């Protein structure tokens, strides 16, 4: 109807962020008016989509830390998938078929925005890795999908934005 709303770009960006896992979300962006496509909100969402599609967990969690409360809250739903991708990527990159690596849980907590080392430990155990009090042993052939869908607990990286 050619009606413009002052917050249209913001809400189009939310739509993109809610559909990161949807393969068709990028198809709708070229249909947006040019001023919407060029808005900082939509540019952020499109960049976040590319980071998500690249499984770039480092950039993803940096974006979460640097964005607004609402954007971070929308991205929270992707934490388990990005964390799982990170564990798989780290195991494949740094482990041989015979030898794993010990990674400090505190480092995973920081890197993947876990609330605590015990939360990181539970997540790693659910994905087949052995954990002690301070470290996780990543092995290339130990990674597995958990039986139950993982959900991210409340996280300080988001609640601190209030």
């Amino acid at each position: 109807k050619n009606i413009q709303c002052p917050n249209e770009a913001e809400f189009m960006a939310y739509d993109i962020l809610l559909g990161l896992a949807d393969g068709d979300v990028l198809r709708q962006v070229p249909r947006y008016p040019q001023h919407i496509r060029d808005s900082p909100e939509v540019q952020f969402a499109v960049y976040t989509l590319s980071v998500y599609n690249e499984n770039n967990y480092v950039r993803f969690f940096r974006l979460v830390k640097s964005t607004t409360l609402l954007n971070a809250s929308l991205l929270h739903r992707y934490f388990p998938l990005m964390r799982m991708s990170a564990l798989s990527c780290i195991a494949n990159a740094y482990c041989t078929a015979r030898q794993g690596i010990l990674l400090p849980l505190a480092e995973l907590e920081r890197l993947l925005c876990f609330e605590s080392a015990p939360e990181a430990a539970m997540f790693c155990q659910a994905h087949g890795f052995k954990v002690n009090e301070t470290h996780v042993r990543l092995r290339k052939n130990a990674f597995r999908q958990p039986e139950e869908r993982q959900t991210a607990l409340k996280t300080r990286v988001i609640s601190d934005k209030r």
Side-chain angles (χ1 to χ4, degrees):
K1 293 183 176 183
N2 246 358
I3 300 172
Q4 291 186 1
C5 301
N7 295 344
E8 187 175 0
E10 176 186 3
F11 284 93
M12 294 298 207
Y14 296 152
D15 189 47
I16 295 167
L17 294 176
L18 285 168
L20 293 184
D22 177 13
D24 285 343
V25 73
L26 197 54
R27 286 188 188 172
Q28 64 189 335
V29 175
R31 296 185 200 131
Y32 296 168
Q34 187 68 41
H35 72 281
I36 300 291
R37 285 195 310 266
D38 292 342
S39 71
E41 298 90 349
V42 170
Q43 291 295 307
F44 172 84
V46 169
Y47 179 68
T48 304
L49 175 64
S50 72
V51 166
Y52 177 84
N53 285 336
E54 294 167 359
N55 289 318
N56 190 330
Y57 60 91
V58 173
R59 281 197 186 141
F60 178 84
F61 287 108
R62 281 186 188 153
L63 286 171
V64 169
K65 290 174 184 175
S66 69
T67 193
T68 65
L69 172 62
L70 187 50
N71 283 346
S73 298
L74 294 175
L75 294 174
H76 187 252
R77 68 190 305 197
Y78 304 106
F79 279 24
L81 289 171
M82 291 307 289
R83 289 169 174 168
M84 185 174 67
S85 174
L87 290 179
S88 176
C89 181
I90 294 167
N92 284 323
Y94 295 103
C95 302
T96 64
R98 294 183 183 159
Q99 189 173 1
I101 60 164
L102 276 178
L103 192 62
L105 287 170
E107 181 65 13
L108 276 183
E109 177 186 352
R110 182 193 63 75
L111 186 64
L112 304 180
C113 294
F114 283 106
E115 190 66 16
S116 64
E119 181 190 1
M122 287 182 355
F123 190 86
C124 291
Q125 286 175 324
H127 287 84
F129 298 111
K130 293 185 179 177
V131 177
N132 66 28
E133 305 241 339
T134 58
H135 288 79
V136 58
R137 177 169 294 284
L138 297 179
R139 298 186 71 103
K140 192 178 273 194
N141 57 359
F143 181 83
R144 65 176 159 79
Q145 296 277 358
E147 303 259 334
E148 294 182 22
R149 184 173 176 261
Q150 299 285 299
T151 56
L153 303 174
K154 178 182 150 192
T155 182
R156 202 172 28 252
V157 74
I158 296 172
S159 61
D160 285 353
K161 293 179 180 288
R162 291 188 179 146

